[in-house]
Amino acid sequence: MARLVRWAALGAAATLLATGCGGSSDDGGDGKGSKTDARPSSGSSGTTGGTAALPASLTGQKLDWGRCKATEDSPAPSSEWQCATLKVPLDWSKPDGDTIGLALVRAKASGGSGKRIGSLLFNFGGPGGSGVSTMPAYGSTASSLRERYDLVSWDPRGVGASEGIRCRDDKAIQAAESVDSTPDTPAEEQAYLQDATAFGKGCEKAAGPLLAHVSTTDTARDMDLMRQVLGDTKLHYFGISYGTELGGVYAHLFPKNVGRLILDAVVDPTADSVGHAKNQARGFQLALDNYLKSTGQDPEEGSAKIAALLKRIDSDPLPTSSGRKLTQSLAVTGIVLPLYSEEGWSTLTAALESAEQGDGSELLTLADAYNERNTEGNYGTTTHSQRVISCLDGKQRPTLEETKKLLPEFEKISPVFGTFLGWDTAGWCHDWPVDGQFDTPEVSAAGAAPILLVGNTGDPATPYEGARKMADELGKGVGVLLTWKGEGHGAYGSGSDCVDSAVDGYLLNGTVPKDGTVCS
């Protein structure tokens, strides 16, 4: 799948990529008229509220923690990290039925048993991001939290080592790079939708019954079983990007079990899939504008120049040193990646300059990093998992004609990213084998402990406005908003002592900042 949009996918992992190399109704409505409970439609596995008592075979599990092993994508972490497998129901409506295994990773609290609060679960975004591979890399950022918590993450169902779903092989993924993600002719439109259908059928063949049981609601229920098996009375949690939606759904389902929750780079829970795409168009255009200003360019003129470059590449893909061609789709993905972090802006400057001179090599390298393609031509599966989860979550399936009517608005929002994200509304879940569960997730959590939301005014992937909306949806006295006037996707560990101190104070000491606190 070369057509990589849904750019919020990687959460904190995107920042790691950038430094090392997931819906919202903004269409005139209030986004609430079509909101349903966070439960799947018939034939899927999640339920809301209290479920039947779980069997002791699940709640009484003893995790066999041991040394983590290397994977195809990453080497084994150091010995301080341990891995285990948690057994969860395939179908949460049948907790006595078939089970699947979830891969877990942890580093035990370093401050001694007298200081230990419990486990702190991390989800780094996606949907589709691997916690098992990301958590050890993020460990240094969270080192202060490890004094009082076991740092724990996992590969959610359908991801990585937890029954990870691969919908295409590497050869087919690379072949799909020729599919135009902004089709200009009826033939290109047909090829675009045929490619989407083929991808969905590949997912269905690879996943089988699991395809209907990888929703956010399913994973939220997995988290509560995880809490019990880890021995925690309350769930302490750090969610980033899509992980904030997951945290909100958990809080709705299990408000009395909410401990200390941090939601950083907050997804707008009032957003349907079309509104989410609009939000991303606004967010990435804002980040691009800020980048252009930093180079002394007028944002409108600079955006027009980049849009013209992409149009030329659409007609005539650029050569690269690898022998592959830089298509328009790959070029825009290469532009997106450095916008996740201000530290990537200089890389973007060099890549754009090379592309203007007719060499697409640097933008292709950036696109490959986002697409998890290594030098041997092997691709990761984050985008596969992202798509199967988000298409099970979201009900919206815009038709080709509906999408065409939306395109002018998308193009007005962003001359660089709007067309890509607009077309994505038609292709992402086109002809999907499983019905979606809700228009927007239910995250109201009356009675839950305070949940700290960290919103970054310069966040490209999850625009700042989503944090305020999440706070409102969680409910009065639950959602507490902390604002950072910064750049990049996510705030904690990004250079703000103010943000880091507030988050640490809440997680380590239970000190809740005043709602509306601003860190500049």
Side-chain angles (χ1 to χ4, degrees):
M1 184 179 63
R3 179 180 59 85
L4 178 58
V5 283
R6 298 299 161 112
W7 289 312
L10 298 180
T15 300
L16 293 173
L17 274 175
T19 56
C21 19
S24 157
S25 189
D26 295 328
D27 51 359
D30 62 5
K32 297 181 181 179
S34 61
K35 183 184 286 279
T36 62
D37 207 1
R39 68 163 66 89
S41 53
S42 62
S44 193
S45 60
T47 57
T48 61
T51 54
L54 298 177
S57 59
L58 295 177
T59 59
Q61 294 178 70
K62 302 298 181 184
L63 297 178
D64 186 18
W65 294 103
R67 281 295 304 270
C68 298
K69 298 179 180 178
T71 67
E72 292 182 2
D73 301 322
S74 58
S78 62
S79 59
E80 63 185 335
W81 295 95
Q82 300 174 308
C83 288
T85 300
L86 174 73
K87 183 171 60 175
V88 299
L90 168 65
D91 182 343
W92 268 105
S93 70
K94 302 174 182 177
D96 288 310
D98 294 340
T99 62
I100 58 175
L102 301 185
L104 275 63
V105 64
R106 78 170 180 186
K108 298 183 73 172
S110 60
S113 58
K115 292 186 176 182
R116 183 180 179 276
I117 294 172
S119 305
L120 179 61
L121 272 62
F122 286 79
N123 181 282
F124 297 99
S130 168
V132 172
S133 62
T134 304
M135 186 74 252
Y138 195 75
S140 59
T141 301
S143 59
S144 61
L145 304 176
R146 189 182 167 193
E147 293 179 13
R148 304 198 66 189
Y149 290 98
D150 296 346
L151 304 184
V152 180
S153 192
W154 77 107
D155 285 359
R157 51 176 62 212
V159 176
S162 298
E163 307 287 339
I165 299 171
R166 175 178 284 275
C167 303
R168 277 183 172 159
D169 62 24
D170 294 330
K171 184 178 180 180
I173 294 171
Q174 183 163 329
E177 290 179 356
S178 64
V179 177
D180 192 337
S181 58
T182 58
D184 306 300
T185 67
E188 288 183 348
E189 291 171 3
Q190 183 180 19
Y192 178 70
L193 295 181
Q194 286 176 342
D195 178 69
T197 296
F199 188 87
K201 288 182 177 178
C203 297
E204 184 177 32
K205 181 178 180 180
L210 181 62
L211 194 67
H213 303 292
V214 292
S215 72
T216 297
T217 303
D218 292 316
T219 293
R221 296 197 173 284
D222 293 342
M223 288 166 60
D224 203 60
L225 177 58
M226 203 177 302
R227 172 192 63 79
Q228 296 176 65
V229 173
L230 291 171
D232 294 317
T233 304
K234 301 285 187 180
L235 181 92
H236 307 299
Y237 174 75
F238 200 130
I240 303 170
S241 194
Y242 159 79
T244 65
E245 179 180 322
L246 176 59
V249 169
Y250 178 89
H252 171 69
L253 293 174
F254 305 101
K256 296 181 188 282
N257 295 344
V258 169
R260 298 175 187 176
L261 265 65
I262 299 288
L263 306 182
D264 185 6
V266 186
V267 171
D268 180 356
T270 69
D272 59 22
S273 62
V274 171
H276 175 64
K278 292 177 183 177
N279 282 349
Q280 284 208 316
R282 293 188 184 95
F284 279 106
Q285 186 61 50
L286 174 63
L288 183 64
D289 288 348
N290 291 340
Y291 155 74
L292 290 168
K293 290 176 185 177
S294 77
T295 64
Q297 299 180 69
D298 175 75
E300 185 174 348
E301 293 177 0
S303 293
K305 182 179 178 181
I306 293 171
L309 171 66
L310 293 172
K311 188 174 182 179
R312 293 197 302 272
I313 294 173
D314 188 24
S315 301
D316 188 14
L318 295 181
T320 70
S321 58
S322 70
R324 292 159 60 212
K325 293 286 189 178
L326 179 77
T327 64
Q328 185 189 40
S329 302
L330 289 168
V332 77
T333 300
I335 293 169
V336 158
L337 180 59
L339 292 178
Y340 271 88
S341 170
E342 193 170 358
E343 295 178 18
W345 288 2
S346 60
T347 303
L348 178 57
T349 297
L352 287 173
E353 289 176 351
S354 293
E356 287 285 359
Q357 295 167 10
D359 182 359
S361 301
E362 294 187 49
L363 279 178
L364 181 62
T365 296
L366 291 168
D368 284 348
Y370 204 121
N371 290 333
E372 299 179 311
R373 184 188 193 277
N374 64 21
T375 55
E376 285 74 43
N378 306 126
Y379 293 80
T381 59
T382 296
T383 57
H384 301 222
S385 301
Q386 180 190 13
R387 200 161 172 180
V388 300
I389 295 168
S390 62
C391 290
L392 178 56
D393 279 353
K395 282 184 176 180
Q396 275 192 310
R397 306 286 193 263
T399 65
L400 182 65
E401 292 307 314
E402 288 170 339
T403 291
K404 286 183 175 181
K405 291 179 180 179
L406 289 170
L407 288 177
E409 183 180 357
F410 273 94
E411 291 163 1
K412 184 178 180 181
I413 291 171
S414 171
V416 174
F417 307 110
T419 303
F420 297 87
L421 287 163
W423 272 109
D424 186 59
T425 64
W428 186 253
C429 298
H430 172 73
D431 199 21
W432 198 252
V434 182
D435 290 338
Q437 296 179 359
F438 48 72
D439 291 305
T440 59
E442 180 59 70
V443 299
S444 60
I451 297 173
L452 181 58
L453 315 176
V454 187
N456 175 8
T457 59
D459 195 314
T462 51
Y464 169 76
E465 291 74 16
R468 181 73 269 172
K469 291 179 180 179
M470 177 70 83
D472 291 343
E473 292 294 308
L474 287 169
K476 188 175 182 180
V478 179
V480 177
L481 178 58
L482 174 69
T483 299
W484 179 43
K485 294 183 176 181
E487 295 289 341
H489 188 38
Y492 185 74
S494 296
S496 171
D497 291 338
C498 175
V499 169
D500 293 354
S501 295
V503 171
D504 288 353
Y506 176 57
L507 288 175
L508 298 174
N509 304 313
T511 304
V512 182
K514 182 180 178 181
D515 184 31
T517 297
V518 177
C519 294
S520 56

